Amino acid sequence: LAAIAEAETAYVSAISAMEIATKVRLRKFEEARPLATDFASQVVSDGFTILGVTADHGERAGGLPMAHK
């Protein structure tokens, strides 16, 4: 956490929004419901920059070995 606090820019992946919303929908992370419904504004207000995902990222991720699922 110290590295994040000291960083000039701290990024959070847009995929994190999907992962959190999925866990909330499956009732595995109910306490994150506010974050699941307002991810972007909450993480930006906490000082993070949202790292977007492109089609190229998806293609590369899809080509990773099974250990990265």
Side-chain angles (χ1 to χ4, degrees):
L1 294 176
I4 293 172
E6 295 170 7
E8 187 173 314
T9 305
Y11 295 96
V12 63
S13 173
I15 296 298
S16 296
M18 181 191 73
E19 293 173 342
I20 291 167
T22 298
K23 289 197 181 293
V24 167
R25 179 178 51 82
L26 296 173
R27 295 179 170 27
K28 292 184 175 185
F29 197 21
E30 265 308 304
E31 59 273 20
R33 184 167 297 282
L35 187 57
T37 58
D38 194 24
F39 183 84
S41 65
Q42 287 195 39
V43 298
V44 169
S45 72
D46 285 341
F48 291 91
T49 298
I50 297 175
L51 183 62
V53 179
T54 66
D56 184 56
H57 294 137
E59 291 168 4
R60 290 173 184 245
L64 292 171
M66 290 303 293
H68 289 88
K69 58 181 181 172

